[in-house]
Amino acid sequence: MDYLKKVVNFYINSSIHVGFSVYAFMRLTELYFGLPYNEPLDFFVFYGTITGYNFVKYAGVAKLHHKSLTNNLKYIQVFSLVCFLLACYYLVHLKVKTLILTLPFGLLTLFYAVPFIGKLQKNLRNISYLKIIVVALVWAGVTVLLPIYDAGNQLDVKTFYMLFQRFLFVIVLILPFDIRDIKFDAISLQTIPRKIGIENTKKAGFFILMICLFLEFLIAEENVFRKVFFIVFLLFSTMLMRAKEEQSKYYSSFWVEAIPLLWWGMLLIF
């Protein structure tokens, strides 16, 4: 059991799980728009997500404690390097136009972690309300715009409906994490739960999910997509309402983060 627990912890702490979540969103976009499977782009995003998230989470820690890094953090650093090299491998197989479109999202990720404001004391992560918007914008842009643009499809109304839905959906995905971290976040970091309270955050999240449900009827052309999303809506709403400060270690970092995987998996089955 201890060995299994270590494997699960490494799986989560090394951002493999979040990488699969973003990958699932990529595959969902392909299914909704009837796009062919795009291995170079999908795996570039998968490995790039792992690299980017680990950079955001551990760059400062490694800088401060490079002489006394724990073995786990060392393993994550090595793993991140491998993922970076794999992302580079797939990057060279991408179209030039796709690479150009990835640049703004890459810069947002960089400035999310690296201080560049106020005599280099602040990054985007430290600016009130901007944290959740930046993350949702990057996830939505990468998982909706990139696959559609790379396939040569026109960016029509359906594309922008999905882009908006994905943006809102990711915002709600972040809320259980912000509820969990409310006692750890700095007072200056005005997250939604800290600003309006946990119960109001849940109500706001549910309202946003209702908008996502409405948008689904504008996006999906087949009933199976709508039925699966309705199941996702019910499950996600329940998990949001059950989120609390004192939640289990894996509630947000594993179960909530697995919702895009469940969504994709159900569409594959049905």
Side-chain angles (χ1 to χ4, degrees), residues 154-212:
Q154 289 188 338
L155 303 182
D156 55 11
V157 175
K158 179 179 175 180
T159 303
F160 289 103
Y161 282 152
M162 178 171 282
L163 184 66
F164 186 46
Q165 184 199 53
R166 190 69 51 84
F167 175 80
L168 295 177
F169 196 88
V170 175
I171 283 180
V172 183
L173 269 180
I174 296 171
L175 294 181
F177 289 87
D178 282 349
I179 290 172
R180 179 195 67 184
D181 296 337
I182 190 170
K183 59 186 177 183
F184 301 110
D185 289 331
I187 296 176
S188 59
L189 187 60
Q190 290 295 310
T191 60
I192 293 175
R194 183 176 287 280
K195 188 68 175 179
I196 67 174
I198 292 176
E199 291 307 313
N200 285 333
T201 296
K202 293 178 181 180
K203 292 176 184 177
F206 181 75
F207 177 73
I208 294 172
L209 284 178
M210 289 289 291
I211 296 175
C212 291

Side-chain angles (χ1 to χ4, degrees), residues 6 16 126 129 171 182:
K6 287 180 181 178
I16 299 174
N126 300 132
Y129 301 118
I171 283 180
I182 190 170

Side-chain angles (χ1 to χ4, degrees), residues 28 43 49 102 111 124 167 173 197 256 261 269:
L28 281 166
F43 277 100
T49 298
T102 64
F111 292 139
L124 295 177
F167 175 80
L173 269 180
V256 172
L261 287 163
I269 293 171

Side-chain angles (χ1 to χ4, degrees), residues 41-244:
L41 180 60
D42 291 350
F43 277 100
F44 166 72
V45 170
F46 172 69
Y47 290 115
T49 298
I50 294 173
T51 304
Y53 262 78
N54 287 344
F55 173 72
V56 169
K57 287 195 294 185
Y58 302 117
V61 176
K63 183 178 179 181
L64 292 172
H65 306 289
H66 67 282
K67 291 184 178 179
S68 57
L69 288 174
T70 64
N71 286 332
N72 286 340
L73 187 51
K74 289 179 181 177
Y75 294 147
I76 289 174
Q77 282 190 313
V78 173
F79 177 73
S80 300
L81 176 60
V82 172
C83 288
F84 172 73
L85 295 175
L86 287 169
C88 290
Y89 168 78
Y90 285 106
L91 180 145
V92 301
H93 292 84
L94 298 181
K95 299 171 185 176
V96 174
K97 68 172 188 177
T98 306
L99 288 175
I100 293 173
L101 187 57
T102 64
L103 286 177
F105 302 116
L107 289 174
L108 279 174
T109 302
L110 179 66
F111 292 139
Y112 183 83
V114 177
F116 70 103
I117 302 173
K119 295 183 180 179
L120 303 183
Q121 295 298 313
K122 277 190 175 183
N123 52 33
L124 295 177
R125 194 180 189 182
N126 300 132
I127 301 175
S128 296
Y129 301 118
L130 206 53
K131 169 187 173 182
I132 194 169
I133 293 174
V134 169
V135 174
L137 185 62
V138 171
W139 277 49
V142 167
T143 64
V144 175
L145 290 182
L146 280 188
I148 295 173
Y149 183 70
D150 185 80
N153 288 24
Q154 289 188 338
L155 303 182
D156 55 11
V157 175
K158 179 179 175 180
T159 303
F160 289 103
Y161 282 152
M162 178 171 282
L163 184 66
F164 186 46
Q165 184 199 53
R166 190 69 51 84
F167 175 80
L168 295 177
F169 196 88
V170 175
I171 283 180
V172 183
L173 269 180
I174 296 171
L175 294 181
F177 289 87
D178 282 349
I179 290 172
R180 179 195 67 184
D181 296 337
I182 190 170
K183 59 186 177 183
F184 301 110
D185 289 331
I187 296 176
S188 59
L189 187 60
Q190 290 295 310
T191 60
I192 293 175
R194 183 176 287 280
K195 188 68 175 179
I196 67 174
I198 292 176
E199 291 307 313
N200 285 333
T201 296
K202 293 178 181 180
K203 292 176 184 177
F206 181 75
F207 177 73
I208 294 172
L209 284 178
M210 289 289 291
I211 296 175
C212 291
L213 182 62
F214 171 75
L215 288 170
E216 183 68 16
F217 282 86
L218 300 178
I219 298 167
E221 298 175 357
E222 298 179 30
N223 280 333
V224 63
F225 288 95
R226 297 172 180 176
K227 289 177 181 177
V228 167
F229 186 83
F230 186 68
I231 296 172
V232 171
F233 167 78
L234 293 176
L235 175 64
F236 197 5
S237 299
T238 302
M239 296 190 74
L240 175 65
M241 293 305 164
R242 290 175 61 86
K244 53 187 179 181

